[in-house]
Amino acid sequence: MTIVFEVSENVKEKMIRFYKDKMKEKTPPYAVFQAVDADTVITLYESNKVMFQGLSADIEANLWRDM
């Protein structure tokens, strides 16, 4: 499952703090970070778009969608 949507600058900063300990060292091009949380990969891009990929992508995305 893959879910993509755009977040505000405020949410972007919250996500960076939230996933700080789960971030991978390497990131894809134009990504601020890529993190792995359980069975979901979270990629936040410079464009403020965030992509959730994995079995629990919908659950993880719902934490941030309505902020």
Side-chain angles (χ1 to χ4, degrees):
M1 177 179 291
T2 300
I3 298 172
V4 179
F5 57 90
E6 195 166 335
V7 295
S8 67
E9 281 295 323
N10 185 37
V11 172
K12 183 177 175 180
E13 295 302 320
K14 288 180 182 178
M15 291 183 83
I16 291 169
R17 286 192 302 271
F18 185 83
Y19 293 112
K20 182 178 151 190
D21 296 334
K22 299 174 182 179
M23 289 182 186
K24 295 170 73 175
E25 284 188 33
K26 286 189 163 193
T27 60
Y30 306 105
V32 175
F33 74 79
Q34 188 170 59
V36 179
D37 191 14
D39 58 2
T40 303
V41 176
I42 302 99
T43 309
L44 178 63
Y45 292 94
E46 294 169 356
S47 64
N48 288 4
K49 288 189 179 175
V50 61
M51 179 168 58
F52 299 86
Q53 296 173 291
L55 294 174
S56 301
D58 55 338
I59 296 167
E60 197 74 28
N62 285 337
L63 293 173
W64 304 101
R65 190 183 303 255
D66 297 324
M67 289 189 117

